[in-house]
Amino acid sequence: MKQKAVVLFSSGLDSTTVLYYALNKGYDCNCLIFNYGQKHDKEVKNASAVAKSLGLNYHTIKLSIPWEKSSLTNKNKQIPEHKIIKEGFIPSTYVPGRNTIFLSYAVSFAETIKAKKIFLGINAVDFSSYPDCTPKYLKSVQQVMKALNNNIEIVAPLEKLSKAQIIKLGTKLKVPYEKTWSCYNGGTKPCGKCDSCKLRAKGFKEAGIDDPALK
């Protein structure tokens, strides 16, 4: 019997690569997809479609974040177009506590289905400077797992990889990048201007691979 695992899945480049990584390792993957009022809600539809196509068990969790501090969830705030993201600068697209909220659900789900691994696509190399995507944050979460004494391990295989390295890994794993969604803006096509689009483009360029989502 395959060992069960919970995968935080958004259909983004990183989380889809992590899903295929976990599947390649032989895990019985159970996906959690979050609809938290993000402008790029297309990722929710894409994630559901990918999970369904793979025949995976998945749950879509709808959350309400009424304070809307982030430009990712506030319809009255524009998604920024930064030329350079300096170290220590936190862009307005940061959703306070988002990964902590997601992981809380994942821990509850993992304990319910008796899964001992939680996979997530945290990346601390080519990322948007979010404080909940850092090695320090991940280490702290691991300490929480120890305190809960539930024997659940948080697995972040992409943590120290560049976007180019992630894409090369995903290509070997046959990740359908044409089905992934990274753009922070809502719409039918990627804007190509937001931080996420730029980081994705940088990764494909450095990997020497054309982005199939743009064809």
Side-chain angles (χ1 to χ4, degrees):
M1 185 178 293
K2 291 184 177 180
Q3 185 178 350
K4 291 182 178 180
V6 174
V7 181
L8 295 180
F9 184 46
S10 71
S11 84
L13 188 150
D14 295 339
S15 75
T16 308
T17 303
V18 166
L19 174 59
Y20 274 74
Y21 174 90
L23 288 170
N24 185 63
K25 293 294 183 181
Y27 288 96
D28 172 12
C29 293
N30 299 264
C31 300
L32 283 185
I33 302 165
F34 292 90
N35 183 341
Y36 55 97
Q38 65 269 48
K39 290 176 180 175
H40 56 309
D41 59 353
K42 183 175 179 178
E43 69 173 12
V44 176
K45 298 174 183 177
N46 283 29
S48 299
V50 170
K52 190 178 293 184
S53 71
L54 292 169
L56 302 178
N57 176 39
Y58 70 94
H59 294 275
T60 300
I61 310 298
K62 188 172 179 59
L63 300 174
S64 174
I65 304 177
W67 36 93
E68 294 187 330
K69 178 181 179 180
S70 172
S71 59
L72 213 59
T73 57
N74 191 325
K75 295 179 181 179
N76 297 318
K77 290 185 177 182
Q78 284 192 329
I79 300 294
E81 297 176 9
H82 300 116
K83 291 184 178 180
I84 299 175
I85 299 177
K86 296 181 180 179
E87 185 177 352
F89 171 72
I90 301 176
S92 68
T93 48
Y94 171 62
V95 180
R98 182 178 60 177
N99 281 340
T100 306
I101 294 169
F102 291 176
L103 281 168
S104 295
Y105 274 84
V107 171
S108 177
F109 186 36
E111 289 188 3
T112 300
I113 65 173
K114 298 181 179 179
K116 295 302 179 185
K117 305 281 186 182
I118 295 174
F119 286 87
L120 75 164
I122 279 180
N123 172 246
V125 179
D126 289 331
F127 75 124
S128 297
S129 296
Y130 297 160
D132 56 359
C133 290
T134 62
K136 179 181 178 181
Y137 173 80
L138 188 62
K139 185 177 180 180
S140 297
V141 173
Q142 294 285 20
Q143 290 301 116
V144 172
M145 293 301 102
K146 290 181 180 179
L148 291 174
N149 197 32
N150 55 19
N151 295 316
I152 295 174
E153 180 185 1
I154 307 295
V155 185
L158 311 183
E159 179 191 6
K160 298 180 181 179
L161 300 184
S162 67
K163 276 289 186 286
Q165 290 173 320
I166 292 169
I167 291 165
K168 288 179 181 179
L169 170 63
T171 300
K172 290 180 182 179
L173 296 173
K174 301 187 185 305
V175 173
Y177 283 126
E178 69 278 4
K179 297 180 181 179
T180 62
W181 184 263
S182 299
C183 182
Y184 286 153
N185 281 292
T188 57
K189 295 182 179 180
C191 71
K193 298 178 181 180
C194 68
D195 295 343
S196 187
C197 278
K198 289 178 180 177
L199 287 170
R200 178 176 177 129
K202 175 176 178 287
F204 274 101
K205 182 178 180 180
E206 291 178 353
I209 299 172
D210 292 331
D211 186 347
L214 299 180
K215 292 182 180 179

